[in-house]
Amino acid sequence: MNSGAPSAPEPQRGGAVIRQLRSTPLLTKGFRPFFLLAAGFAVSILPVWILAYAGAIDLNGYLDATYGHAHEMLFGFATAVIAGFLLTAVGNWTGRETATGLPLIGLCMLWLLGRVGLIAPRVFPHWLTAISDLAFLPALGVAIGRPIVASNNRRNLVMLGVLVALWTANLVMHLDALGVLPGGRARGATVGLDIVLFLILVIAGRTIPMFTRNATGVLSIRALPALDALTLTSMALLTVCDAALARRDVVAVVAGLTSLLAVCRSLSWGARHALKVPLLWILHVAYLWIPGGLVLRTVSLFSPAVPPSVAIHALTVGAIGGITLGMMSRVALGHTGRALRASRAAIASFVLVTLAAIVRVLVPLIDISHYRASVFIAGSLWTAAFGVHLAVYVPILVSRRADLKPG
């Protein structure tokens, strides 16, 4: 008669399944699924937004079409890239794994669940849409926070602070959508963009001069810690000003100061030496959209000749779009042991995203009557850029080529 005691093979089979999941190429490192999700989302969501802008479909639902677009580019696309980068980078910084196998699947499913609720708002009641979307960043924080704390890696505690701030901005947008905090969607979108830019400024200061020096052999290329600290402090202050709805003149001064500091810190990064290396020049060019966009934002506060959306898209299409393409390409190649050399198709994606930013920013500044056309053209170029990126990097992201180990 069966005593009811569990047989030994059962946990062995369960352990085998877990080991199999951990060894599945797409689940061995965070950058693999999340870069794939981010690029796929970028390719699919922009055509939907363009159709909504043209009046062909109605995206008004949980959020209106404009803020739904802003939310999904920040808390959908950009957050997926951030997740892929941090899950991989924290492993290197701490010498400990973050999330692989089942935990990584769980993170991906949480991210996808949030997208379903926002893009198809009739699927869930509004309160469940908010919960499903807001669950992702805390889960990501746990995944990267455990190795950071366990290794006493104090330098990177700032990453946890960034995730908390980003989650708070997202919460504010949801509270507006739920009728709890009217006006919150505008504030949440602005602050959310500020926080993503702050993170880019942190990562850019750590990586761009190092990558450029290593690739070119020019030893004079270096970061300047004092200017780095001033730039980040100024960007943090701008974020606080936007969160507190500070006076327009105060915001203009802080944005202008941040722009100046961002340019000054980059003067020693060797941009002129990077022009012949596509994996470098895309990062330098994309970075320059940050001070450029902040200048445009300053001017837009006082001059109707510069629509606020022009400044926003210099920072999003130009800076975020270019940086994400450049970093995703570099991480995908470097962490699978491949040569850090961009293919012709990858270079084409860099050119396309840069052209998208130029069209979206310069055309309205030159002739506002072509604003609508600039939206369609820039959106098409953006979609093409990430479509080409997908074609190049999907085989790499799903390949069995071994990932570099942490540490």
Side-chain angles (χ1 to χ4, degrees):
M1 186 173 181
N2 193 331
S3 65
S7 59
E10 289 303 319
Q12 290 176 0
R13 283 202 294 270
V17 170
I18 293 173
R19 287 194 296 273
Q20 180 63 36
L21 285 172
R22 286 176 177 169
S23 64
T24 299
L26 202 58
L27 300 176
T28 56
K29 282 287 185 181
F31 76 89
R32 289 178 179 262
F34 275 109
F35 285 0
L36 185 60
L37 288 171
F41 191 64
V43 169
S44 59
I45 197 65
L46 253 293
V48 173
W49 158 245
I50 290 172
L51 288 172
Y53 186 76
I57 59 175
D58 182 11
L59 288 183
N60 291 306
Y62 181 76
L63 291 168
D64 60 83
T66 298
Y67 283 108
H69 170 60
H71 183 279
E72 287 308 281
M73 296 314 294
L74 287 171
F75 300 104
F77 166 71
T79 299
V81 179
I82 290 168
F85 178 84
L86 288 180
L87 288 169
T88 305
V90 167
N92 292 340
W93 296 337
T94 64
R96 300 166 183 259
E97 287 290 5
T98 50
T100 61
L102 279 173
L104 187 52
I105 291 176
L107 285 172
C108 293
M109 293 305 295
L110 275 179
W111 181 88
L112 286 167
L113 194 63
R115 308 290 63 74
V116 171
L118 268 295
I119 298 169
R122 293 178 180 84
V123 174
F124 301 143
H126 284 183
W127 63 267
L128 188 54
T129 294
I131 291 174
S132 63
D133 185 52
L134 288 167
F136 175 68
L137 285 173
L140 176 61
V142 171
I144 70 165
R146 291 177 66 183
I148 287 175
V149 172
S151 62
N152 198 28
N153 192 264
R154 296 181 182 179
R155 184 191 186 205
N156 290 303
L157 287 173
V158 65
M159 301 304 169
L160 298 179
V162 165
L163 293 185
V164 170
L166 199 57
W167 182 86
T168 304
N170 193 15
L171 174 65
V172 168
M173 292 195 77
H174 282 291
L175 290 177
D176 187 353
L178 295 172
V180 176
L181 187 64
R185 64 190 67 188
R187 192 186 308 193
T190 300
V191 173
L193 175 56
D194 289 343
I195 295 163
V196 173
L197 293 174
F198 176 87
L199 180 59
I200 290 175
L201 289 171
V202 172
I203 299 302
R206 294 184 182 185
T207 59
I208 295 179
M210 178 182 66
F211 291 163
T212 307
R213 184 177 61 251
N214 292 346
T216 64
V218 179
L219 298 180
S220 61
I221 296 172
R222 66 192 189 283
L224 301 173
L227 274 176
D228 288 346
L230 287 172
T231 304
L232 295 177
T233 300
S234 187
M235 188 68 224
L237 180 58
L238 178 60
T239 305
V240 171
C241 288
D242 285 333
L245 297 178
R247 286 171 25 187
R248 183 173 59 176
D249 54 346
V250 174
V251 172
V253 169
V254 177
L257 177 61
T258 307
S259 174
L260 178 61
L261 290 168
V263 169
C264 290
R265 79 191 289 230
S266 69
L267 294 179
S268 62
W269 290 2
R272 69 183 184 278
H273 300 291
L275 298 178
K276 295 182 180 180
V277 184
L279 283 175
L280 293 178
W281 70 246
I282 183 59
L283 298 178
H284 284 275
V285 169
Y287 177 84
L288 288 177
W289 282 105
I290 297 179
L294 292 174
V295 167
L296 288 171
R297 185 182 176 193
T298 300
V299 176
S300 72
L301 292 170
F302 300 100
S303 173
V306 178
S309 64
V310 168
I312 290 171
H313 286 91
L315 296 167
T316 52
V317 180
I320 296 177
I323 288 285
T324 54
L325 269 185
M327 291 301 294
M328 286 194 299
S329 298
R330 187 179 187 94
V331 169
L333 292 172
H335 281 270
T336 56
R338 290 171 169 82
L340 294 175
R341 185 168 54 250
S343 65
R344 290 182 179 179
I347 296 169
S349 72
F350 300 160
V351 172
L352 286 167
V353 79
T354 304
L355 288 175
I358 290 171
V359 169
R360 188 64 180 84
V361 172
L362 292 188
V363 170
L365 290 177
I366 295 170
D367 188 346
I368 194 64
S369 67
H370 296 309
Y371 183 92
R372 190 175 178 84
S374 74
V375 173
F376 294 138
I377 295 170
S380 299
L381 289 168
W382 166 284
T383 303
F386 281 89
V388 171
H389 176 87
L390 267 180
V392 173
Y393 288 101
V394 164
I396 294 174
L397 294 173
V398 300
S399 73
R400 290 193 173 275
R401 192 113 172 210
D403 295 310
L404 301 181
K405 297 296 183 183

